[in-house]
Amino acid sequence: MSESPQCTRCSGIFCYPNIAADERPSFDEAPPSCPTKLKRDVIEKALSNYDKEDIREFARLASVQEFECYEHTPAGIRTRIPRIEETIQFAHKNGFKRLGLAFCSGLANEARMVADILERNGFDVVSVCCKVGAVPKERIGIRPEEKISGPDLYESMCNPITQAEILNEEGVDFAILVGLCVGHDSLFIKYCQVPMTVLAVKDRVTGHNPLAAIYLSRSPYYGRLRRRVQA
Ligand code: SF4
């Protein structure tokens, strides 16, 4: 079997080199698992998508937005704005007027604050909670003993496909995810037909900052992450 791409095992200096604008990167010393070397055909095919006018413009604006998230100071390059402002600026750049918020019921307060901020910044906001439809979990085969609140209580399923379909039907220009669970977010992304971004991911034990556990994985606190052998 041919080698799999393994960018995580590379320093990254070959595809993001510190060279002059008129020079070209060299991959002579890049590892054999380098996808820039292994996947020329895929790279060319993927690049052709940027020839579509709307895709090219979207990509261009995303990179302009990326640029505007930094500033040059006498002390060097510094970061400027948090992700919520990045999202607002990007939405304005694209001329988006109507934004869709798909949020988790566990982050309802955060979603209200996000909606308020977006509205104060001139957007029309449509929001849909994950429990929309109030469909019991039994509908997707969840057993009583698998319900979080216990077997004797009604429990609505998370309904990310409906969240996506409502935002599709509402004709939002851009969808923003706030705190959907792993897997539920996958379904939302699969069914959402408008451009979307993730403002926040859910992490129940780190204040929705999954990298906190990653940062601590080389310490005693979350060292178990590196010891665990997955079945
Ligand atoms: S594309 Fe190649 S050079 Fe770039 S990080 Fe991946 S392996 Fe390294």
Side-chain angles (χ1 to χ4, degrees), residues 5-16 27 30-31 33-37:
Q6 297 290 358
C7 288
T8 54
R9 297 182 189 162
C10 171
S11 65
I13 58 170
F14 306 103
C15 60
Y16 198 26
F27 286 83
S33 59
C34 171
T36 303
K37 297 203 302 197

Side-chain angles (χ1 to χ4, degrees), residues 25-195:
S26 166
F27 286 83
D28 293 347
E29 293 179 39
S33 59
C34 171
T36 303
K37 297 203 302 197
L38 288 174
K39 301 283 184 182
R40 292 308 318 172
D41 51 339
V42 180
I43 291 170
E44 287 309 316
K45 189 167 172 220
L47 270 179
S48 67
N49 284 290
Y50 297 101
D51 296 333
K52 299 170 195 157
E53 201 172 321
D54 56 336
I55 301 295
R56 183 188 174 92
E57 181 60 3
F58 195 87
R60 189 186 71 80
L61 290 176
S63 287
V64 171
Q65 185 57 58
E66 177 195 12
F67 164 76
E68 292 178 2
C69 289
Y70 299 90
E71 63 184 341
H72 289 266
T73 74
I77 294 183
R78 297 178 61 141
T79 51
R80 287 184 56 231
I81 55 173
R83 190 175 178 102
I84 182 69
E85 280 186 291
E86 182 181 358
T87 304
I88 289 167
Q89 291 182 4
F90 183 64
H92 280 313
K93 274 189 180 62
N94 278 277
F96 298 150
K97 304 277 184 249
R98 193 167 166 79
L99 305 184
L101 212 52
F103 67 96
C104 168
S105 62
L107 283 89
N109 287 334
E110 290 87 340
R112 284 188 196 101
M113 290 190 281
V114 172
D116 177 55
I117 289 169
L118 295 176
E119 285 167 354
R120 288 171 187 267
N121 277 273
F123 298 104
D124 179 20
V125 178
V126 177
S127 56
V128 188
C129 168
C130 64
K131 300 298 185 186
V132 60
V135 180
K137 283 189 171 176
E138 285 79 357
R139 174 71 175 73
I140 50 169
I142 293 297
R143 299 192 300 267
E145 64 271 25
E146 292 172 326
K147 292 198 288 190
I148 297 165
S149 304
D152 299 329
L153 291 177
Y154 184 94
E155 197 159 288
S156 299
M157 62 182 258
C158 293
N159 199 341
I161 297 177
T162 302
Q163 285 179 290
E165 294 291 12
I166 290 174
L167 295 184
N168 291 339
E169 188 191 83
E170 284 290 317
V172 300
D173 300 310
F174 195 45
I176 300 172
L177 287 198
V178 177
L180 298 197
C181 309
V182 173
H184 296 143
D185 57 2
S186 313
L187 285 171
F188 181 90
I189 292 165
K190 183 177 173 71
Y191 283 85
C192 181
Q193 289 170 10
V194 300

